[in-house]
Amino acid sequence: MKTSLPTRAALLGSLFLLLAACASSFDVSMQAVRNADYGPYPKNYQQLIRKRLDGNLLDARSAQIRFTTPPRKVFQLSRAPYKLNGRAYYAVCVEVNAKNAYGGYTGWQTKMFRLKNNTIEGNPTGAYAACTSKDEIYIDTTLIFGGDQVNIVP
């Protein structure tokens, strides 16, 4: 069944209005961000990351590793229905040049490791904005979708 152009335009307009109505605005207090539980500063972060890489790389002994940032605080926001969730951790950015199965180097790849309570959480990710940010605490909003707005308030 074909629909006429005005009908399609009306359907699309309704869809955009519905999506706009679903968008929300959330306020996040900087005091809450500063007081979040980041865990203790990971003094042994290089050892932890090297140990993780040793278990994941094919030829870990030949890997070239550059630690590009010391541990820095990251507060990651994600959306649950009708509210925001915050997750606090330390992030360490590392550049790795490792060998592949053919024995050739793959080239430098940036990895970001999340650390909390002297353990690495999950797998290395690509939230690379935290690697280059100059902020005291990087607020990660990459998990906020659908036109939601986050306001950082004092």
Side-chain angles (χ1 to χ4, degrees):
M1 177 176 110
K2 290 186 176 183
T3 57
S4 65
L5 185 58
T7 305
R8 279 188 249 159
L11 286 172
L12 282 173
S14 299
L15 178 63
F16 286 127
L17 284 174
L18 180 63
L19 288 174
C22 292
S24 302
S25 178
F26 298 97
D27 290 341
V28 176
S29 156
M30 268 314 288
Q31 184 172 354
V33 170
R34 285 188 193 97
N35 293 337
D37 179 17
Y38 294 89
Y41 183 85
K43 294 177 184 173
N44 61 339
Y45 68 95
Q46 290 187 1
Q47 178 186 1
L48 291 169
I49 292 172
R50 287 182 193 278
K51 185 176 180 182
R52 172 63 68 93
L53 291 173
D54 285 348
N56 290 347
L57 297 175
L58 293 174
D59 185 2
R61 289 181 299 171
S62 67
Q64 300 168 340
I65 302 168
R66 293 191 291 221
F67 290 87
T68 57
T69 65
R72 60 183 345 149
K73 291 180 179 180
V74 174
F75 191 78
Q76 184 179 52
L77 295 169
S78 62
R79 187 175 192 272
Y82 311 110
K83 69 175 189 165
L84 277 183
N85 293 323
R87 183 172 152 214
Y89 58 87
Y90 283 93
V92 177
C93 298
V94 176
E95 291 179 342
V96 179
N97 189 9
K99 289 186 178 180
N100 59 22
Y102 299 106
Y105 281 97
T106 60
W108 292 100
Q109 299 174 16
T110 302
K111 308 280 185 196
M112 189 189 84
F113 290 87
R114 296 182 311 271
L115 292 96
K116 186 160 186 179
N117 297 323
N118 291 314
T119 59
I120 294 176
E121 293 184 337
N123 293 319
T125 64
Y128 303 122
C131 296
T132 58
S133 172
K134 303 295 183 205
D135 296 334
E136 172 191 350
I137 301 172
Y138 178 73
I139 300 175
D140 183 1
T141 59
T142 56
L143 297 179
I144 306 294
F145 300 109
D148 291 334
Q149 181 177 348
V150 177
N151 303 310
I152 308 298
V153 295

